[in-house]
Amino acid sequence: MEERKWFKEMSMYQIWPRSFKDGNGDGIGDLKGVMSKLDYIKSLGVDAIWFSPLYVSPQADYGYDIADYCDINPDYGTLDEFKEVLAAAHERGLKVIMDLVINHTSDQHEWFKKSVKREEPFTDFYIWRDGKGKNGKKAPNNWMSTFPGSAWEYVPERGQYYLHLYAKEQPDLNHDNPTVREYIKKVMRFWLDMGVDGFREDVITEISKADGLPNGFPLMPASRGMEHYNHGPHIHEYLSDYRTVIKDYDAFQVGEAPLLTPKKALGYVVGDERELDMCIGFQHMEADCILIGWLKTPFSLKKLKKVYDNWQTTLYQKGWNANYLENHDQPRVISRYGSEKYRVESGKALAMMYSFLSGTQFIYQGQEIGMTCPYFDKYPEGTDPWAQFKDVSTFCVRDLMRKFGFSQKHILKVAHTAARDCARTPVQWTAGKNAGFSDGEPWYAVNPNYTEVNVEAAEKDPNSLLNFYRKIIALRKQYKDAAVYGKFEIHLKRHPHLFVYDKIAEDGTKLTVVLNLSDKAIPCKKFAKYIPSDAQELLSVYDGCSFAAVTKPYEGKLYISNVRTGE
Ligand code: NOJ
C-alpha cells in the first residue's frame, strides 16, 4: 500500500518572482506583489508555493546565480517582507518551499571572492584546476557548459581555471569538500528555522563530479562531460548528508534531476532512507523535441504516453513523482502540446491529462489561465529581433545554432516554443495597462494577447480554464485514493490522439480519464468500451455535452465508477 504523506497530496504553485506581480511600480515582480495575490493563490485550492530564487543575485541567470543565500534580492524586497509573506502564507494554510541552488553560486558570492584569493576556509570551495598544455593555457578538460562554451574559466589572480556547468558567472561548488557541505547545511537550517517547509533543489544530481574529471564524449556540443557529473560517484553520500537536515525538521525536498529515468529515480526516492521526496524529471517534456526544446520534432502523444506509463508503473507504491507541464524553463504547454487555436479546450485537456496521475502536482504561474508563448518572429521592421530576449541560455543556443548554419528566421521560429523567455513573460492579471502586472515599465514585455488572456476575464467566466483548474484541484483531493494514490492503467497505448487511462484505488473506486489530445474528429466507438457502464461524469472539457459520434477538438472527460458505499 502507498504510504500516505502530506507532500504527496499537495498541489504546488510555482512563483517565478520577477514576472509574478510588481507591488512597487518599478516594473519588476516583488514580495509586495506576492502578498497582494496570496488570496488568489489560495483560491485555486493549492497547498503550497514554491518560490524560484528570491535571494541576492546579480541576475546573470535570473536568481539561479546566488550571491547571498541568506538575504532577499533588493528588487524583490527585504528579509522582513519575506517573513511577512511566509507568515501570511502559513495563516492561509499554504506551505512555502524555497529554491535551493547549491550546485553553483554566483561569482559575486563572498565564498567565491575569497576562494579566488585562497582565503581559508574557502580555498577549495570551488572546483579549481591548473590549465593543461605547455603554458597551462588549455582548459583542464573538454567539458562544455550547459549554456554552451567551455565549462572552464581562467582567473589570472589565482592562476587557475574554475569549473562552471552553467554560465561563467555560476562557478560550481566543490561538494567533495566537507566544509562546503557544512556551510550549505547552515543555509538550509537558516531557512528551515525561519519556518520554510522545504526546498526545490536545483540540478541537484549534478553536485558530485567524477574523480579526476575525465574528458567527456567529444561530440556533445553542450553539457559535454555530463556522463561524468550527472548522478556522479558520491551523489548518494552527499544527498544523504543533506537529508539529515531535512529529517530534523520533517521538511520536504524535490530535486531537479536532468537525464533521469524512472529506474534511476528509484535510487533517490524510495523508503524512509530516501534522499529526496521526489525528482523533477524531464522525459515527459520531450514529446515535441529531442532532449532540448530547440531540437524540435512534431508533438508525439505516443511518446508522451510511453513516458507516463513507464513512470507511473515503475514508481507505483515505491517512489513518488513530481508532475508538471510548465515551469520557468519550460515554455507554455498549450503552445507546445496543445493548440493556441483551441487554447481553452486544449488547456483543459492537458490539465486533465496530468492532474490525475500519481505524484505531487505542480502548477506554474499563468498556466492556470492558459498563457501562451509569445511570437519572437513577429517584430517591428527595423528593430533588432534579439532585443526581445533576456535569457542567457537563449543567446548561447542562438550562437550555437548559428555555428551549425541555421538561419535567423529558423532560430526565431523555433524560439517561439523553445526559448525559456517564453515562460517568463509577466503574469497577465487584467486587460488594463501592462496586463495589470506593473504600474511602471515591465522589465520584460507582456504577451500582447493579455487583452483576452488574463485573470480578471477568467474569473468572470464560469467555463474558463482558471475555474476548471479550481475544479480539478478540488477533485484530485476529493478522490485522492484513486487520483493521488491509485494504480495507473493505460488503454490504447498506440493511438496517436487518444489518451485514455484509469486510476484505481485500493477499494476498487476507479477514475477514468478520456482525452482526445488533438483537433481531429475521432469516432467515439474507439474508446467507448473503456467507459464503465456505471460511470458518472465528474468533469468535461465541453461543459454540459456528451460524446457524440465523433469527438470535438480536445474533447475530454473524467469519470468515476465502482464507487464503494462503505458496505
Ligand atoms: C535549473 C534551473 O531551473 C534553471 O533556470 C537554471 O538556469 C539552471 N538550473 C542553472 O541553475
Side-chain angles (χ1 to χ4, degrees), residues 373-423:
C373 295
Y375 282 89
F376 297 111
D377 51 356
K378 292 185 186 137
Y379 53 94
E381 210 169 317
T383 60
D384 172 13
W386 299 106
Q388 305 173 92
F389 299 92
K390 302 260 189 204
D391 176 32
V392 53
S393 86
T394 300
F395 296 114
C396 292
V397 178
R398 173 199 64 186
D399 295 346
L400 191 68
M401 288 180 80
R402 278 178 176 165
K403 262 195 213 152
F404 279 90
F406 289 100
S407 68
Q408 166 148 305
K409 201 166 154 219
H410 175 83
I411 304 173
L412 288 171
K413 191 157 177 266
V414 178
H416 170 55
T417 53
R420 303 194 305 181
D421 305 75
C422 313

Side-chain angles (χ1 to χ4, degrees), residues 16 50 52 61-62 64-65 99 101 103-104 147 166-167 170 200 202-203 256 282 327-329 391-393 420 424:
W16 196 72
W50 148 28
S52 274
D61 187 15
Y62 290 113
Y64 286 89
D65 49 321
D99 223 302
V101 188
N103 177 65
H104 43 266
F147 302 154
Y166 292 87
Q170 294 167 293
R200 173 269 185 193
D202 192 67
V203 290
E256 191 192 26
F282 290 83
N327 61 36
H328 62 291
D329 296 332
D391 176 32
V392 53
S393 86
R420 303 194 305 181
R424 301 176 177 188

Side-chain angles (χ1 to χ4, degrees), residues 412-561:
L412 288 171
K413 191 157 177 266
V414 178
H416 170 55
T417 53
R420 303 194 305 181
D421 305 75
C422 313
R424 301 176 177 188
T425 59
V427 171
Q428 297 161 204
W429 295 101
T430 70
K433 186 182 163 200
N434 300 327
F437 164 69
S438 171
D439 293 337
E441 185 59 27
W443 79 279
Y444 195 47
V446 172
N447 189 324
N449 68 6
Y450 73 92
T451 48
E452 184 201 336
V453 183
N454 61 68
V455 173
E456 194 179 45
E459 289 285 13
K460 288 186 194 140
D461 175 2
N463 288 322
S464 66
L465 180 58
L466 172 62
N467 285 315
F468 196 78
Y469 261 105
R470 288 188 170 120
K471 284 186 204 155
I472 278 195
I473 294 165
L475 284 169
R476 186 176 169 277
K477 286 198 179 7
Q478 186 178 350
Y479 298 107
K480 66 180 180 196
D481 288 352
V484 177
Y485 296 110
K487 186 166 196 282
F488 175 84
E489 276 179 16
I490 190 167
H491 307 290
L492 297 167
K493 275 188 193 181
R494 267 178 272 280
H495 197 283
H497 305 305
L498 292 172
F499 194 168
V500 181
Y501 68 84
D502 297 324
K503 285 298 296 298
I504 307 157
E506 298 235 318
D507 71 357
T509 306
K510 192 201 269 193
L511 290 176
T512 302
V513 178
V514 179
L515 298 167
N516 165 25
L517 278 168
S518 77
D519 56 6
K520 311 267 179 306
I522 309 214
C524 293
K525 60 175 195 283
K526 284 253 173 246
F527 55 79
K529 69 171 178 198
Y530 301 110
I531 304 172
S533 51
D534 65 334
Q536 294 164 38
E537 187 180 308
L538 292 177
L539 195 64
S540 174
V541 167
Y542 292 87
D543 220 23
C545 112
S546 25
F547 282 124
V550 292
T551 58
K552 295 188 177 51
Y554 296 94
E555 185 160 17
K557 288 183 187 294
L558 170 71
Y559 297 97
I560 190 160
S561 58

